[in-house]
Amino acid sequence: MSRISFSRWAMNIAEETKRRSTCCSRKVGAIIVKDKNLISTGYNGAPSGATHCTDIGYCKRREMGFKSGEGLEFCRAGHAESNAIDQCAKHGNSCDGATMYVTTQPCVFCTIRLIQAGIKKVIFKGEYPTKLAKELADESGLEFIKYGEDVSYEFLPADKNAVVHPLKID
């Protein structure tokens, strides 16, 4: 049996982390790694001590007719990306220069937090309906990279104009 790539290992942990989500609408998991060490995890759910959406039994945003990415001010759940950053802050871990692996592309609010926290690269799986997040990431030097299981992301160049030849995983 061959060893899986670091990127696949990291995304597998993000996928497993999303199983802790208490959101009725979308399950998302995120991890933050720095120097190939896992420093934080996060999943979407209500703040500590608050009633979870799964306990209420429905999503207030969906009940109000909002589509994905809309009406976030009516959502009681914190996003996985924000929760992972918050865990770093709570435990005194800097995420400056780190990479996030997340099961869904970050929304604009999480993208702003990622930029402000100093995260340099986000490797995401699922798409999310936001153009502004990508625009802000590009302007700020935050790399957004769509995950694919047949590509290794550990050695992608920081120069956005560089020609990238993805490494195939054996």
Side-chain angles (χ1 to χ4, degrees):
M1 182 167 118
S2 65
R3 184 177 184 201
I4 65 171
S5 72
F6 182 85
S7 293
R8 184 173 292 170
W9 170 81
M11 191 58 80
N12 286 349
I13 293 171
E15 284 288 342
E16 190 64 23
T17 300
K18 81 178 186 181
R19 294 178 55 171
R20 294 276 308 148
S21 171
T22 59
C23 177
C24 295
S25 184
R26 182 191 305 255
K27 309 275 186 215
V28 180
I31 70 163
I32 300 174
V33 295
K34 188 171 182 180
D35 300 323
K36 292 203 172 189
N37 289 296
L38 175 62
I39 62 170
S40 186
T41 63
Y43 52 87
N44 53 335
S48 298
T51 305
H52 296 292
C53 298
T54 51
D55 294 334
I56 294 170
Y58 66 93
C59 173
K60 184 175 182 179
R61 278 185 335 104
R62 298 288 188 202
E63 290 271 317
M64 296 172 78
F66 288 106
K67 296 177 186 171
S68 181
E70 297 177 358
L72 296 179
E73 67 273 20
F74 297 105
C75 181
R76 66 187 296 115
H79 287 185
E81 304 91 328
S82 282
N83 287 334
I85 292 168
D86 292 343
Q87 286 301 308
C88 279
K90 182 177 181 178
H91 298 288
N93 295 321
S94 171
C95 50
D96 190 38
T99 297
M100 175 173 280
Y101 288 81
V102 61
T103 59
T104 302
Q105 180 183 344
C107 73
V108 67
F109 302 115
C110 288
T111 299
I112 292 168
R113 298 218 45 224
L114 292 163
I115 293 165
Q116 295 299 85
I119 301 230
K120 296 299 179 199
K121 187 183 300 183
V122 176
I123 299 171
F124 66 93
K125 254 188 168 178
E127 302 287 335
Y128 192 79
T130 178
K131 292 178 186 167
L132 182 56
K134 179 69 172 122
E135 184 179 312
L136 290 171
D138 288 344
E139 290 173 12
S140 302
L142 173 63
E143 290 184 78
F144 266 18
I145 301 168
K146 179 83 164 114
Y147 178 80
E149 290 193 14
D150 62 338
V151 176
S152 176
Y153 302 97
E154 287 106 79
F155 306 107
L156 288 180
D159 179 3
K160 290 187 182 286
N161 297 318
V163 176
V164 176
H165 301 285
L167 303 170
K168 292 290 182 185
I169 296 172
D170 296 330

